[in-house]
């Protein structure tokens, strides 16, 4: 069955608002001729990169691609799938950070749905509650843009902690839209069936509150019971609208992220990518690095700069891995992880003043106020940056790591690039080329003294969350457990070839992402069904009847591949887009 991708004007900006945004934007839409192929679109992207000034070439590329998504969706999605590795830096990190900062001024349509905390005020006279209003809004999403009767995934943010850039209010929509594109590019969820949502609860960003063009609620953020009541209304409306949907929490602030995950993870199929997705890809990178060093996870001492949701999530999953794979207790597993926050090394002496998510990692150590002191004390095998403090992995710190370890593991994970703790070039120089490196945003390769080109790994959550989300959707999983993220981390860590590892690539090439996703989907969905968390789709046996033997993982690999949305340049009817035989 074929289906077209339907795009027109904005879901939430009126023509007047779009015109006004275009008038005030300091950025001009690139003026390029029409394209009728993915190759033509890619050439236009390269032309923008060649001809625009360094300051605006990336955001100009973002604008061009977003308008192609609106005006030329068949070619856009064809290019997104074929050339994902090259287009991703402009549609997602690092460029999406700038896009979110300027979102209310950009001359682009909004594809997602805004849900305002005050959406019910005008409807109260008609006897409608806020939950009723949200449900009606969801029921009436644009059918020329979405398959409203079969939304499989919802990506939601409240815009409070966008990458390392802080509170961007309704500009957070850019993150939800970017992650939604990754579901399509990486794991084949139809763009008609993944819905970006931004919850507008106000903003504490004074620049936005004082910006006359900002179209979000101009008030301080909701907090406490008022905030939680709004989230509950949204969740219950979502559950009333769709009997099963995968909900991805994205870029919520630390104090909310943990609470919301714990409150809802066992009541619906949801996860937090910043906590669980980041943990899975980082653990995978660590395991991949250990294929090079020949060491065990039990031998590792991991020092984190930053102790927010990302860092704590990684630490918990490392501990979980040690518990499951090496038989130690979770408490013992956590003793392999050390954290530095704004007040220094997290130790037992600070226990009473610590936030709850930090307390399990408070060890009996002497206090340290700086990273270099902590490296000297802990003697870590790996340092992981989740601090959003650019340059905090100094040459002195990395040189000491190289003195302690033959192959130091250095992961500056903060996004976007401007927030990275160090660059690949800096880490390579400080360790004389011995570093095992992965970063949150991409860095260019470099040629070593030996003449070999070394390609830094990008610890990109897109290796993980699209595959897990799509797998959970296909088997209608009741929940997504930590074990699923653990399974994905280990499986992905084995996929880079020996030759790739030699040149610094801890993960398989992103150009192979759909093969990677099919493998991960197969393992995760098979396990979900085997443990009773999920169930096989009604057409599973029919689709996989030709698979010989009784291996459910292989059957799921076939099913996952056939479930992926694809494009067909030769098919012009119905917009030329299809997802195998079963879309």
């Amino acid at each position: 069955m074929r289906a077209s991708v339907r795009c027109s004007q904005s879901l939430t900006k009126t023509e007047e608002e779009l015109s006004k945004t275009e008038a005030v934007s300091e950025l001009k839409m690139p003026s390029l001729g029409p394209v009728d192929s993915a190759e033509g679109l890619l050439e236009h992207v390269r032309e923008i990169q060649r001809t625009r000034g360094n300051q605006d070439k990336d955001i100009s590329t973002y604008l061009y691609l977003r308008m192609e998504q609106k005006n030329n969706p068949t070619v856009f999605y064809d290019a997104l799938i074929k050339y994902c590795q090259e287009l991703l830096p402009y549609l997602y990190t690092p460029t999406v950070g700038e896009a979110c900062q300027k979102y209310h001024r950009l001359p682009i349509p909004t594809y997602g749905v805004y849900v305002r905390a005050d959406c019910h005020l005008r409807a109260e006279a008609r006897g409608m509650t806020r939950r009723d209003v949200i449900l009606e809004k969801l029921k009436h999403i644009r059918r020329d843009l979405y398959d409203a009767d079969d939304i499989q995934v919802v990506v939601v943010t409240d815009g409070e902690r966008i990458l390392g850039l802080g509170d961007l209010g309704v500009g957070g929509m850019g993150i939800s839209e970017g992650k939604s594109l990754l579901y399509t590019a990486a794991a084949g969820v139809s763009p008609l069936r993944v819905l970006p949502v931004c919850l507008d609860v106000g903003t504490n960003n004074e620049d936005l509150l004082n910006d006359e063009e900002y179209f979000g609620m101009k008030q301080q953020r909701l907090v406490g019971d008022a905030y939680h009541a709004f989230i509950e209304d949204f969740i219950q409306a979502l559950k009333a609208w769709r009997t099963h949907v995968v909900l991805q929490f994205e870029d919520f602030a630390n104090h909310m992220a943990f609470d919301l995950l714990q409150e809802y993870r066992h009541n619906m199929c949801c996860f937090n990518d910043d906590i669980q997705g980041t943990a899975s890809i980082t653990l995978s990178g660590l395991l991949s690095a250990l294929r090079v060093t020949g060491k065990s996870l039990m031998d590792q001492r991991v020092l984190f700069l930053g102790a927010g949701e990302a860092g704590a999530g990684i630490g918990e999953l490392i501990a979980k891995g040690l518990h499951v794979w090496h038989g130690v207790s979770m408490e013992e597993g956590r003793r392999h992880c050390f954290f530095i926050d704004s007040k220094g090394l997290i130790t037992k002496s600070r226990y009473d003043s610590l936030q709850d998510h930090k307390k399990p990692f408070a060890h009996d150590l002497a206090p340290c106020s700086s990273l270099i002191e902590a490296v000297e004390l802990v003697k870590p095998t790996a340092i992981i940056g989740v601090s959003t403090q650019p340059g905090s992995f100094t040459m002195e710190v990395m040189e000491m790591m190289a003195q302690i370890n033959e192959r130091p593991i250095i992961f500056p994970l903060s996004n976007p690039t401007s927030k990275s703790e160090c660059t690949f070039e800096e880490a390579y120089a400080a360790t004389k080329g011995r570093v095992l490196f992965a970063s949150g945003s991409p860095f260019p390769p470099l040629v070593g003294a030996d003449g070999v080109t070394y390609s830094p790994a990008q610890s990109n959550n897109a290796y993980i969350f699209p595959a897990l989300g799509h797998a959970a959707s296909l088997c209608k999983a009741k929940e997504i457990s930590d074990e699923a993220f653990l399974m994905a981390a280990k499986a992905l860590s084995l996929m880079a070839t020996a030759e790739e590892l030699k040149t610094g690539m801890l993960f398989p090439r992103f150009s192979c992402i759909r093969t990677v996703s099919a493998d991960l989907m197969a393992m995760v969905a098979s396990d979900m069904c085997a443990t009773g968390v999920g169930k096989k789709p009604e057409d599973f046996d029919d689709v996989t009847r030709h698979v010989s033997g009784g291996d459910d993982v292989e059957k799921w690999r076939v099913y996952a591949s056939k479930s992926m949305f694809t494009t067909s340049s030769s098919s012009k009817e119905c917009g030329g887009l299809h997802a195998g035989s079963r879309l």
Side-chain angles (χ1 to χ4, degrees):
M1 175 179 172
R2 300 187 184 277
S4 63
V5 168
R6 306 170 295 254
C7 297
S8 59
Q9 64 197 35
S10 163
L11 271 170
T12 53
K13 289 181 186 175
T14 66
E15 288 297 320
E16 181 182 357
E17 287 170 329
L18 268 176
S19 177
K20 189 175 183 182
T21 301
E22 291 174 9
V24 301
S25 176
E26 71 275 22
L27 294 165
K28 301 299 182 184
M29 187 68 65
S31 179
L32 298 166
V35 293
D36 59 5
S37 68
E39 291 70 27
L41 183 146
L42 183 62
E43 184 51 43
H44 277 184
V45 166
R46 291 171 176 169
E47 182 180 342
I48 295 169
Q49 289 292 303
R50 285 193 302 266
T51 59
R52 288 285 174 133
N54 285 335
Q55 281 194 325
D56 72 351
K57 66 180 182 179
D58 290 349
I59 193 67
S60 295
T61 304
Y62 175 86
L63 292 177
Y64 168 71
L65 290 170
R66 287 296 305 267
M67 290 310 294
E68 286 298 303
Q69 181 187 10
K70 172 182 182 287
N71 298 324
N72 198 3
T74 299
V75 169
F76 170 81
Y77 285 105
D78 195 18
L80 179 65
I81 293 167
K82 288 182 179 178
Y83 303 111
C84 184
Q85 186 167 2
E86 188 158 353
L87 297 182
L88 195 60
Y90 310 120
L91 287 167
Y92 198 61
T93 184
T95 309
V96 75
E98 182 181 358
C100 289
Q101 288 176 308
K102 300 175 178 178
Y103 195 87
H104 60 292
R105 293 177 174 268
L106 295 182
I108 56 173
T110 296
Y111 280 82
V113 172
Y114 284 110
V115 181
R116 292 172 58 110
D118 63 358
C119 62
H120 61 298
L121 296 183
R122 295 181 183 177
E124 285 180 338
R126 292 181 282 139
M128 294 181 72
T129 66
R130 180 167 58 192
R131 193 173 301 180
D132 295 332
V133 174
I134 297 172
L135 179 57
E136 285 300 302
K137 190 175 186 71
L138 293 172
K139 284 181 176 179
H140 292 92
I141 62 172
R142 290 263 300 276
R143 290 180 178 268
D144 58 339
L145 292 171
Y146 294 105
D147 185 350
D149 297 322
D150 195 19
I151 294 294
Q152 297 176 343
V153 178
V154 171
V155 181
V156 64
T157 185
D158 71 352
E160 187 170 6
R161 192 205 62 84
I162 300 301
L163 301 174
L165 302 170
D167 184 352
L168 299 184
V170 297
M173 178 61 82
I175 284 291
S176 291
E177 290 174 332
K179 286 292 177 84
S180 297
L181 286 175
L182 289 173
Y183 270 103
T184 299
V189 179
S190 167
L192 308 178
R193 294 174 178 172
V194 54
L195 181 67
V197 174
C198 183
L199 304 177
D200 185 1
V201 296
T203 178
N204 296 339
N205 185 325
E206 290 296 327
D207 289 338
L208 294 177
L209 291 173
N210 294 324
D211 187 337
E212 65 177 22
E213 305 304 333
Y214 181 70
F215 54 83
M217 290 173 58
K218 291 201 171 182
Q219 64 174 54
Q220 294 291 306
R221 283 184 167 272
L222 294 184
V223 296
D225 291 344
Y227 178 89
H228 283 280
F230 174 54
I231 297 295
E232 176 69 7
D233 283 343
F234 169 72
I235 295 289
Q236 294 306 322
L238 185 64
K239 292 168 76 171
W241 177 48
R242 300 291 303 138
T243 55
H244 185 275
V245 70
V246 176
L247 179 65
Q248 175 174 326
F249 291 108
E250 187 65 34
D251 282 0
F252 285 74
N254 293 340
H255 61 285
M256 287 290 101
F258 292 105
D259 288 351
L260 295 178
L261 181 61
Q262 291 308 314
E263 186 170 353
Y264 293 109
R265 66 178 304 177
H266 300 302
N267 300 320
M268 67 180 302
C269 187
C270 67
F271 68 99
N272 183 300
D273 185 49
D274 305 296
I275 297 173
Q276 296 164 290
T278 299
S280 186
I281 188 62
T282 306
L283 175 57
S284 182
L286 184 59
L287 294 173
S288 187
L290 297 182
R291 291 174 59 196
V292 178
T293 66
K295 304 287 187 181
S296 164
L297 189 61
M298 279 292 292
D299 301 325
Q300 304 311 299
R301 294 167 66 83
V302 184
L303 177 62
F304 294 83
L305 181 63
E309 59 190 291
I314 299 166
E316 283 293 323
L317 200 64
I318 290 174
K320 187 83 169 181
L322 288 167
H323 172 64
V324 171
W325 300 327
H326 296 278
V328 303
S329 67
M330 285 295 292
E331 290 74 17
E332 173 62 28
R334 293 185 185 108
R335 283 196 280 272
H336 289 254
C337 299
F338 307 83
F339 286 84
I340 299 173
D341 65 8
S342 60
K343 295 181 174 62
L345 188 66
I346 291 176
T347 62
K348 282 283 188 187
S349 61
R350 295 176 52 198
Y351 189 86
D352 290 342
S353 64
L354 293 172
Q355 294 170 283
D356 287 345
H357 69 272
K358 297 178 183 180
K359 289 181 177 180
F361 299 99
H363 307 312
D364 192 9
L365 294 169
C368 294
S369 60
S370 68
L371 176 57
I372 190 69
E373 288 180 79
V375 170
E376 209 167 2
L377 176 68
V378 173
K379 293 182 169 47
T381 56
I383 54 173
I384 295 176
V386 283
S387 68
T388 70
Q389 297 176 17
S392 51
F393 286 179
T394 63
M395 296 297 282
E396 184 183 13
V397 165
M398 293 188 286
E399 286 169 355
M400 184 173 288
M401 284 293 295
Q403 291 171 16
I404 297 169
N405 304 283
E406 178 62 28
R407 298 300 302 271
I409 298 169
I410 298 176
F411 287 3
L413 300 184
S414 293
N415 281 318
T417 310
S418 62
K419 300 292 184 179
S420 184
E421 288 78 9
C422 69
T423 68
F424 177 50
E425 185 176 6
E426 291 165 347
Y428 188 89
T431 63
K432 295 181 169 56
R434 292 187 281 121
V435 68
L436 293 164
F437 180 95
S439 57
S441 288
F443 284 103
L446 58 82
V447 178
D450 54 5
V452 175
T453 298
Y454 292 93
S455 300
Q458 184 185 0
S459 185
N460 191 335
N461 294 24
Y463 281 106
I464 299 290
F465 76 83
L468 263 67
H470 199 180
S473 174
L474 290 176
C475 68
K476 292 185 167 35
K478 299 171 188 173
E479 61 180 277
I480 303 177
S481 67
D482 288 335
E483 284 75 14
F485 288 95
L486 201 64
M487 181 184 302
K490 189 170 188 178
L492 179 62
S493 74
L494 300 174
M495 292 184 187
T497 67
E499 287 303 310
E500 288 170 336
L501 290 175
K502 285 180 183 177
T503 60
M505 297 175 61
L506 301 181
F507 306 107
R509 295 182 185 277
F510 204 80
S511 56
C512 303
I513 186 59
R514 285 205 161 192
T515 302
V516 171
S517 290
D519 287 345
L520 295 182
M521 288 167 65
M523 283 180 274
V524 170
S526 176
D527 184 73
M528 285 175 168
C529 292
T531 56
V533 174
K535 59 183 180 181
K536 293 178 182 177
E538 291 182 2
D539 62 346
F540 183 85
D541 291 336
D542 184 54
V543 172
T544 62
R545 64 183 182 279
H546 65 284
V547 181
S548 59
D551 187 348
D552 264 5
V553 173
E554 181 55 35
K555 288 181 178 179
W556 266 108
R557 186 176 290 110
V558 170
Y559 192 87
S561 297
K562 287 183 177 292
S563 300
M564 288 186 177
F565 170 90
T566 61
T567 61
S568 173
S569 300
S570 61
S571 174
K572 299 301 181 184
E573 71 273 19
C574 299
L577 296 169
H578 63 93
S581 59
R582 298 173 36 261
L583 179 64

